[in-house]
Amino acid sequence: MMILSISGVVLLGIIVFIFFRKDGLKGSHAVICALFGFYLASTAIAPSIKAGGASLASLLGGIKI
């Protein structure tokens, strides 16, 4: 599960970087999004979000191309 979270963080970091470079995402917007994520992780809904992410990763991992 740790590998999944690290790869998810890397993927989201790359997406934020692309938005920052191409779509005009300001640095302040990225900081606010990061702070929102940290605060959201400490709420009661965090386990549901984590379970949903794990379910989505399992679904995507089961796709055969």
Side-chain angles (χ1 to χ4, degrees):
M1 187 55 101
M2 179 62 110
I3 293 172
L4 179 64
S5 3
I6 291 172
S7 61
V9 167
V10 170
L11 176 65
L12 291 174
I14 290 170
I15 291 171
V16 168
F17 179 75
I18 289 171
F19 283 161
F20 181 72
R21 296 289 291 163
K22 301 288 182 190
D23 292 335
L25 178 71
K26 297 184 185 209
S28 60
H29 297 152
V31 169
I32 290 171
C33 289
L35 288 174
F36 176 69
F38 283 119
Y39 285 119
L40 188 62
S42 66
T43 63
I45 197 170
S48 299
I49 294 171
K50 187 174 182 179
S55 176
L56 179 63
S58 174
L59 177 72
L60 293 176
I63 295 175
K64 304 285 186 223
I65 296 177

